[in-house]
Amino acid sequence: MSASIVRPYGDTTGDGMVQLSFTLPVPHDKRAEGAALQLARRMGLDPALLVHAKAMGPDFTFFVVYGSVTHLVDLDEVEVTEREFPLLSAKDANTAIKKLLRRKLVVVGACIGTDAHTVGIDAILNIKGFAGEKGLEYYREIKVVNLGAQVLVPELVSRARTEKADAVLVSQVVTQKDAHIHNTTQMSAAFREAYPAGQVPILVVGGPRFEEGSAASLGVDRIFGRGTTPAEVASYLVHEITVRKAKS
């Protein structure tokens, strides 16, 4: 077998064992457990073992199944979005911003729609930061306007215009019924309607469920996923401003 072909690992190398969790809209009983195993087998787990089942109220059951799959993974076919800009220290980012703009870079951030999860946006913006890194509020040459949670798109656009924002950072954690997709496309469309062509702020969205490479289809400039640090965001903003300045 090629070194680029791998199988899941459970108890021994190459045994193909995986663990899967899901919920079925049925009360917890023997029939529900049988249904969970049927689903697991139809998904390719053979043999499939039910290792956990718990009622979620009177009409739902949560399951964890464990079993072996025959599927292989070809590492050569995996596409990864590499960072195309250097990772800057806070000092270097401040120096670059001062040289590029001769003023502070204005960043407006928010959780839009019904999303009330501010942990992600706060990790990037607040001075306390994330993973040992200070947030953008720590950067001397960045002015941060954090609007918090459940911000309506028109309100975000209006505040961005008032603040003359260079960049808008939006966090989306709620993903039920693809709410993060709908909110992001609505937001990007609203900014393009409100600003003249070529003058839209840098639009950045972050969240655990966004797919890498989908920025263009969502109408934004950049997507950041789980584990993103403030330094990565600051470095990207410097990179994007540099690119835009070169084109203007």
Side-chain angles (χ1 to χ4, degrees):
M1 184 180 294
S2 168
S4 68
I5 305 297
V6 298
R7 292 186 67 191
Y9 175 96
D11 301 314
T12 58
T13 301
D15 61 10
M17 300 300 287
V18 299
Q19 184 167 288
L20 178 70
S21 64
F22 54 87
T23 301
L24 291 180
V26 290
H28 180 209
D29 55 19
K30 290 295 183 182
R31 179 168 172 264
E33 294 183 0
L37 289 173
Q38 181 188 106
L39 175 61
R41 285 191 290 268
R42 289 183 174 178
M43 294 178 70
L45 275 69
D46 187 21
L49 305 173
L50 181 64
V51 296
H52 178 75
K54 183 177 182 180
M56 305 285 286
D59 301 317
F60 296 85
T61 308
F62 174 75
F63 301 96
V64 177
V65 296
Y66 187 63
S68 178
V69 297
T70 59
H71 307 84
L72 304 177
V73 175
D74 188 344
L75 298 178
D76 290 339
E77 295 181 0
V78 177
E79 296 182 2
V80 177
T81 302
E82 299 287 354
R83 175 164 48 84
E84 74 278 20
F85 51 88
L87 192 61
L88 304 175
S89 66
K91 180 180 178 181
D92 289 341
N94 283 328
T95 300
I97 293 168
K98 190 171 184 177
K99 181 179 179 180
L100 286 164
L101 298 179
R102 301 183 184 277
R103 59 171 173 79
K104 289 190 176 184
L105 182 150
V106 181
V107 175
V108 173
C111 297
I112 59 175
T114 59
D115 203 326
H117 300 77
T118 63
V119 174
I121 195 74
D122 287 344
I124 300 300
L125 299 181
N126 286 1
I127 193 169
K128 63 183 179 182
F130 171 72
E133 291 186 9
K134 299 288 188 181
L136 299 190
E137 289 179 346
Y138 172 76
Y139 288 65
R140 184 182 65 252
E141 298 299 328
I142 298 180
K143 175 187 175 182
V144 172
V145 180
N146 189 347
L147 302 183
Q150 297 182 322
V151 177
L152 298 178
V153 168
E155 179 186 350
L156 177 63
V157 174
S158 175
R159 190 63 182 275
R161 289 174 63 87
T162 299
E163 298 289 345
K164 298 181 179 179
D166 299 291
V168 174
L169 273 56
V170 167
S171 174
Q172 289 284 267
V173 176
V174 174
T175 60
Q176 285 88 344
K177 297 182 180 180
D178 287 336
H180 60 308
I181 302 296
H182 301 312
N183 289 340
T184 300
T185 53
Q186 179 190 10
M187 181 268 295
S188 62
F191 271 95
R192 279 163 176 75
E193 182 178 341
Y195 282 79
Q199 296 183 30
V200 178
I202 302 168
L203 300 180
V204 178
V205 295
R209 290 280 298 278
F210 286 105
E211 294 183 9
E212 287 189 354
S214 63
S217 64
L218 296 177
V220 299
D221 297 294
R222 189 78 180 191
I223 290 174
F224 284 108
R226 187 188 305 275
T228 298
T229 65
E232 288 180 89
V233 176
S235 299
Y236 167 72
L237 294 178
V238 170
H239 166 76
E240 183 63 19
I241 290 170
T242 302
V243 171
R244 293 189 177 196
K245 280 284 187 181
K247 291 180 179 179
S248 63

